[in-house]
Amino acid sequence: MIKMKHKVETSWKGEMKFDAVVSGHHVVMDALPEVGGNNSGPRPKELMLASLAGCTGMDVVSILKKMRVELESFNVVVEADVTDEHPKHYTRMHLIYEFKGKELDLEKLNKAVELSQDKYCGVSAVYRKAMHVTYEIKISE
Amino acid sequence: MIKMKHKVETSWKGEMKFDAVVSGHHVVMDALPEVGGNNSGPRPKELMLASLAGCTGMDVVSILKKMRVELESFNVVVEADVTDEHPKHYTRMHLIYEFKGKELDLEKLNKAVELSQDKYCGVSAVYRKAMHVTYEIKISE
């Protein structure tokens, strides 16, 4: 198995603010005022959820494009349980795939989501080693 | 163990672009042109690395502030091995904590990093269940 390397460089910008360079794009992270931050960017831990949503979302739109399924809109919601004891971490994640379009074929949508979850999404593959990841599909016209 | 919920909502913006609302802040993700994207934002998987850097970085600056350690600059670099087979996922991560400051106390820096990695950082806690996470500390004046 040949391996590639990914690298992210993150600089401290004072107080609780950090700026990460991710694939050439700046991503600012910050904490809430009650823990010394200024809320100038998202909380780092919650980026784990965006990472999962974007990863599987891109898989699903790519697969549906190949299946010639046309979507009007598509959202991916991630809900996660987090412990209130240190280290405060996620113990379960649930994905809700919300598809909107005319006469959508549930079987194809299911297939696309399954392929992402079982075969393609590398973020999901890692999280599944650490916790239970579930999903559901919602369709509207 | 009482549990809280975190939630991230992500909308598809056409082609491979997704917009996630993370702690009230918009985070755009996109793919490279060779896979149908426009590179208008970071790759979702690499956000996993920013998440780790921000999480442990915030722990470390908080702990060092309590220890009255003054930093001139502080970077957190995350390097990760990624498989080239599906699901393309991280199999190892290595953190480099780069501290700059006058007469920095290595023992205190070590202690702060250890506390984050062993006790506080919830992102690290999850990734450690799925792969090997290592770290090193670099100091300059």
Side-chain angles (χ1 to χ4, degrees), chain A residues 3 6 10 44 51 76 80 90-91, chain B residues 3 6 10 44 51 76 80 90-91:
Chain A
K3 293 209 176 174
H6 284 181
T10 307
S51 176
V76 183
Y90 295 128
T91 55
Chain B
K3 291 211 176 174
H6 284 181
T10 308
S51 176
V76 183
Y90 295 127
T91 55

Side-chain angles (χ1 to χ4, degrees), chain A residues 13-28:
Chain A
K13 297 296 180 187
E15 296 177 322
M16 295 292 266
K17 187 173 174 182
F18 282 83
D19 182 327
V21 181
V22 188
S23 357
H25 299 271
H26 288 267
V27 177
V28 168

Side-chain angles (χ1 to χ4, degrees), chain B:
Chain B
M1 187 156 60
I2 297 161
K3 291 211 176 174
M4 292 185 295
K5 288 261 187 199
H6 284 181
K7 184 178 184 174
V8 164
E9 300 196 343
T10 308
S11 320
W12 180 46
K13 297 297 180 187
E15 295 177 322
M16 296 292 267
K17 187 173 174 182
F18 283 83
D19 182 327
V21 182
V22 188
S23 356
H25 299 271
H26 288 267
V27 177
V28 168
M29 297 170 278
D30 202 351
L32 284 171
E34 49 262 46
V35 290
N38 289 294
N39 190 24
S40 64
R43 251 54 70 213
K45 185 158 38 214
E46 291 177 45
L47 280 180
M48 282 181 66
L49 308 182
S51 176
L52 176 60
C55 172
T56 186
M58 287 183 190
D59 288 345
V60 168
V61 293
S62 300
I63 296 164
L64 290 179
K65 196 181 173 193
K66 282 175 197 154
M67 290 176 172
R68 296 174 191 279
V69 173
E70 286 198 17
L71 300 170
E72 223 167 272
S73 75
F74 172 40
N75 299 318
V76 183
V77 179
V78 187
E79 295 173 341
D81 290 344
V82 57
T83 65
D84 66 346
E85 280 167 27
H86 293 298
K88 292 179 184 172
H89 66 284
Y90 295 127
T91 55
R92 198 187 73 88
M93 290 187 194
H94 182 66
L95 284 152
I96 307 163
Y97 295 86
E98 299 175 342
F99 297 99
K100 193 176 173 185
K102 289 212 163 56
E103 295 170 12
L104 289 174
D105 181 336
L106 176 59
E107 213 167 302
K108 286 183 177 175
L109 301 180
N110 255 327
K111 184 72 189 166
V113 169
E114 261 180 42
L115 277 170
S116 173
Q117 286 299 319
D118 298 343
K119 186 168 177 191
Y120 291 111
C121 179
V123 177
S124 205
V126 168
Y127 294 175
R128 279 178 192 284
K129 289 184 188 178
M131 74 190 85
H132 208 52
V133 180
T134 53
Y135 66 84
E136 68 186 286
I137 291 174
K138 287 183 182 174
I139 306 181
S140 62
E141 283 224 358

